[in-house]
DNA sequence: GTTTTTTCTGTGTCCGCGCACAAATATACG
DNA sequence: CGTATATTTGTGCGCGGACACAGAAAAAAC
């Protein structure tokens, strides 16, 4: 049953193979050179004794130092990206004894040039690994290609970029999460309801990939299962709440029959606030991400559902993947979709994304 | 920003305090005896240099051995408890280098005597810590009191037992999860619907605490928000599917208007199978736990929702808590409610409870 | 004041592994 | 065959902390 115990040390397998511990070490780490003869003897010994290195001893003895770069959009307190950074920081903290340190680089997510500039800075810093969200597709691709050339592993967060292949990706299946959003919302709406779709306007980036994919998924569900539904698309300006409020008033005047709203990014609270102020509690709302303000409106009952994607996990796992790969030399799973967590006022208090 | 680095070793603070490393060690571990004078000097040094021990070195040097006992109901392949054990095993594996080994003890969950006997065996084995679900309230309480007397820390899984206080508890808020189940189900039902409530009959245990609490939560929601709903309670016999099928036929003949079903334990698939065979796809079903068979019916669309409670996490975290407490001497959070995960056919593929 | 006991302290070894360095063996080449 | 070079191997130290042991200092007993 539980026979796994049996501590086996490198010297044990060295003895069994009739060679020195140093040679075993070379085989294990593929370093230096070893004669074919010894290699075979050692590999056999490894098989028969199923040796597993002691992580703690290994880490302790490790001399190499690693510097990771983490690129993150500039954020305000409480934002989505703050949580990602939190996860990265926790990992940095936990893995500090591995001689891993993380340097953060920030860019303005509404400005391609800022992004480009930051990429440049990262390249100058010559990190051992990079972790970043592929915000601007083209720029990210070029940057990733540079990393690939230099053999610097990189982890993608939030949205995927197939080429060049990252060491790992952590993020949500956006299409599917939009699909679910539609399903949830329609549970509370009539089959011929009118739904307002909100997304954010971005300079130089017509909504992030994520947002667009969510919308696609949402519409896919609506069109295939509730063809009688009408949808109205509205663009929010993240920088100008006042303008949004006016747009909202216009919208509800023009389409008073609107009974559902979906916000494809984390600005749910803005929409919720406006709808609440306009006394339209009949409108069912679903949005994304557990910002404090969003949760507030969820608990109040203004927002029906929030869909979460464990941003802290994304950050944490990203760093962990790099450590696994670089420090422990273990294989890493490439595509890692985060769970699509459904939160309501009833289960929000028990939710923890860690 | 990230100034946390700065490796500080025991010898560093020993030097600063003007004592030997051994003395610092004594203060840190509260072992041996240290003069008041030295203690103060060391504590000051610790404060000014904010020393954090290197976990890896600490583990490596540790000589003590720990034997944990894990008590689990006998289960069939694919059962809920298999997942709990899986989590425990993974933790055991991960923490093996800490000289922690886990011995499993099994009991028949339908038989108090078996449980009592197993408790007895565990006591004989004199483990350093115990992890178990408080299945039978009275027996568990007596057992826990014995552990308390012997100063053996114990972790409770699945259902809580306030007295004597466990080192930690990992499980779901059952009442709340029942509450949510009702809310979800009612999204697809009319306000005057008739709902069948299923729970399992247990010899000597009228349904586990968990099940009863879920039912309470469910009924609480229904009574307060949908007073026109009717509910019919049905008892399943886990051992006799044939009998269940007949009971089901009777039920649907007697109450043909039933349009919803909730199964308060992991036997969802049994009910789903019967309902499917009786061609009553109009009945909306919600159940608990991600058994393979349950997931199958969820994906087929026979079951609308499954509520999960991360059993692997419970097992894993339970062992981790014991390690944190015994090996690393760190404080442990006592009450740990697991998230109430809502699964539908749309997000099930992305779910991972680890 | 001396002996015994208790309290306190410093030193040194080991945990298992990574890695550098030196030594040994093999291969190449004139 | 001797020397130069390349390949292969063994040994030993150190990572940072736990803990045992012996010895010093202080307290208690006589």
């Amino acid at each position: 049953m539980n026979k796994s115990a049996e501590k086996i040390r490198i010297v044990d397998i060295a003895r069994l193979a009739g060679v020195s511990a140093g040679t075993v070490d070379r085989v294990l780490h593929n370093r230096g050179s070893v004669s074919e003869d010894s290699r075979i003897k050692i590999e056999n010994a490894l098989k028969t004794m199923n040796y597993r290195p002691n992580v703690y001893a290994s880490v302790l003895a490790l001399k190499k130092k690693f510097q990771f770069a983490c690129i993150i959009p500039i954020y305000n307190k409480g934002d989505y990206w703050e949580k990602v950074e939190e996860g990265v920081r926790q990992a940095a903290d936990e893995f500090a004894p591995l001689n891993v340190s993380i340097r953060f680089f920030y860019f303005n997510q509404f400005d391609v040039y800022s992004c480009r500039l930051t990429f440049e800075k990262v390249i100058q810093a010559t990190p051992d690994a990079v972790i970043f969200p592929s915000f601007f597709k083209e720029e990210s691709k070029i940057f990733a290609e540079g990393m690939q050339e230099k053999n610097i592993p990189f982890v993608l967060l939030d949205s995927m970029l197939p080429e060049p292949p990252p060491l790992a990706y952590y993020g949500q299946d956006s299409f599917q999460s939009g699909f679910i959003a539609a399903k949830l919302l329609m549970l509370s709406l009539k089959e011929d309801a009118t739904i307002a779709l909100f997304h954010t306007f971005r300079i130089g980036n017509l909504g992030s990939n994520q947002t667009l994919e969510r919308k696609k998924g949402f519409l896919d569900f609506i069109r295939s299962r509730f063809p009688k539904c009408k949808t109205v698309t509205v663009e929010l300006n993240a920088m100008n709440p006042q303008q949004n409020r006016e747009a909202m008033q216009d919208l509800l005047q023009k389409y008073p029959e609107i009974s559902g709203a979906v916000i494809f990014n984390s600005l749910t609270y803005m929409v919720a606030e406006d709808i609440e102020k306009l006394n339209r509690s009949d409108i069912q709302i679903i949005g994304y991400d557990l910002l404090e303000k969003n949760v507030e409106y969820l608990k109040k009952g203004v927002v029906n559902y929030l869909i979460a994607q464990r941003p802290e996990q994304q950050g944490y796992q990203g760093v962990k993947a790099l450590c696994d790969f670089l420090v422990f030399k273990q294989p890493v799973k490439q595509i890692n979709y985060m769970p699509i967590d459904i939160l309501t006022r009833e289960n929000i208090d028990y939710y923890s994304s860690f």
Side-chain angles (χ1 to χ4, degrees), chain A residues 1 57 85 114 123 130 158 197 210 219 228 273 275 323:
Chain A
M1 191 71 62
E85 180 169 334
S114 153
I123 292 170
V130 186
D158 204 56
L197 317 186
Q210 287 293 70
L219 290 176
K228 288 184 196 159
E273 191 187 327
I275 289 183
C323 289

Side-chain angles (χ1 to χ4, degrees), chain A residues 150-328:
Chain A
K150 295 199 181 70
N151 248 320
I152 299 174
F154 60 95
V155 167
L156 291 180
L157 297 185
D158 204 56
S159 65
M160 179 63 180
L161 201 72
E163 259 331 299
L167 174 69
Y169 160 73
Y170 291 89
Q172 206 167 51
D173 183 334
S174 314
F175 182 91
Q176 191 67 11
S177 86
F179 195 84
I180 295 183
K183 172 177 169 160
L184 290 172
L185 191 59
M186 290 314 294
L187 285 170
S188 316
L189 297 183
K190 293 185 189 146
E191 59 172 359
D192 59 350
T194 301
I195 304 170
L197 317 186
F198 294 88
H199 51 71
T200 321
F201 174 73
R202 267 178 218 287
I203 304 151
N205 194 13
L206 309 171
S208 71
N209 307 332
Q210 287 293 70
T211 307
L212 288 179
E213 282 298 311
R214 286 172 184 165
K215 190 176 170 187
K216 273 192 209 163
F218 190 92
L219 290 176
D220 191 69
F221 181 90
I222 297 289
R223 287 195 187 125
S224 61
R225 310 240 194 128
F226 293 92
K228 288 184 196 159
C229 265
K230 271 168 291 175
T231 57
V232 189
T233 296
V234 188
E235 290 213 335
L236 293 176
N237 184 332
M239 311 310 231
N240 193 339
Q242 182 53 35
Q243 183 185 318
N244 290 338
R245 184 151 318 143
E246 284 159 17
M248 185 76 75
Q249 279 180 341
D250 291 352
L251 178 76
L252 293 183
Q253 229 150 42
K254 204 162 160 193
Y255 305 97
E257 75 275 20
I258 281 176
S259 59
V262 50
I263 302 93
F264 291 115
N265 56 47
S266 56
L267 299 180
T268 308
Y269 63 92
M270 281 195 186
V271 176
E273 191 187 327
D274 293 345
I275 289 183
E276 190 189 30
K277 287 214 174 118
L278 295 169
N279 276 319
R280 289 294 305 268
S281 61
D282 58 303
I283 298 179
Q284 313 294 313
I285 307 178
I286 185 165
Y288 282 81
D289 300 328
L290 300 188
L291 308 198
E292 236 173 79
K293 285 187 193 165
N294 290 352
V295 171
E296 194 182 301
Y297 283 105
L298 182 71
K299 286 191 180 173
K300 263 195 193 173
V302 179
V303 171
N304 296 44
Y305 302 94
L306 285 175
I307 291 182
Q309 49 182 329
R310 308 196 190 180
E312 305 91 337
Q313 276 284 341
Q314 291 187 38
Y316 178 88
Q317 296 291 344
V319 176
K320 189 170 179 323
L322 288 174
C323 289
D324 280 346
F325 181 71
L326 287 177
V327 183
F328 298 117

Side-chain angles (χ1 to χ4, degrees), chain A residues 5-17:
Chain A
E6 300 304 334
K7 267 195 198 173
I8 296 155
R9 307 187 318 291
I10 281 192
V11 292
D12 294 326
I13 76 122
R15 188 164 19 241
L16 181 67

Side-chain angles (χ1 to χ4, degrees), chain A residues 8-155:
Chain A
I8 296 155
R9 307 187 318 291
I10 281 192
V11 292
D12 294 326
I13 76 122
R15 188 164 19 241
L16 181 67
V19 295
S20 72
T23 310
V24 176
D25 181 82
R26 268 161 230 131
V27 172
L28 286 175
H29 294 80
N30 225 13
R31 123 175 83 219
S33 54
V34 176
S35 70
E36 210 43 42
D37 190 41
S38 307
R39 168 164 280 120
I40 289 169
K41 280 193 289 184
I42 289 170
E43 267 162 9
N44 284 337
L46 282 171
K47 264 177 209 158
T48 57
M49 307 207 35
N50 99 311
Y51 165 76
R52 292 181 43 194
N54 182 322
V55 186
Y56 296 91
S58 171
V59 164
L60 188 61
L62 208 60
K63 287 213 175 65
K64 226 175 290 171
K65 288 193 195 310
F66 300 91
Q67 170 92 238
F68 296 173
C70 176
I71 311 176
I72 283 213
I74 299 164
Y75 55 79
N76 295 316
K77 201 161 165 38
D79 267 12
Y80 176 78
W81 291 103
E82 186 180 30
K83 303 194 176 198
V84 175
E85 180 169 334
E86 198 185 308
V88 171
R89 283 194 187 278
Q90 173 162 339
D93 203 55
E94 185 175 328
F95 299 126
L98 311 186
N99 293 323
V100 166
S101 67
I102 300 187
R103 189 166 155 205
F104 288 88
F105 295 82
Y106 300 91
F107 70 98
N108 181 345
Q109 60 178 301
F110 304 105
D111 179 3
V112 193
Y113 301 102
S114 153
C115 175
R116 238 175 255 169
L117 204 70
T118 305
F119 280 155
E120 199 49 52
K121 276 187 204 158
V122 172
I123 292 170
Q124 303 269 315
T126 62
D128 300 298
V130 186
I131 176 166
F132 70 105
S134 57
F135 236 89
F136 297 95
K137 266 197 168 173
E138 267 314 305
E139 275 68 23
S140 299
K141 188 161 186 282
I142 294 168
F143 177 70
E145 279 163 354
M147 292 299 106
Q148 191 186 30
E149 264 179 39
K150 295 199 181 70
N151 248 320
I152 299 174
F154 60 95
V155 167

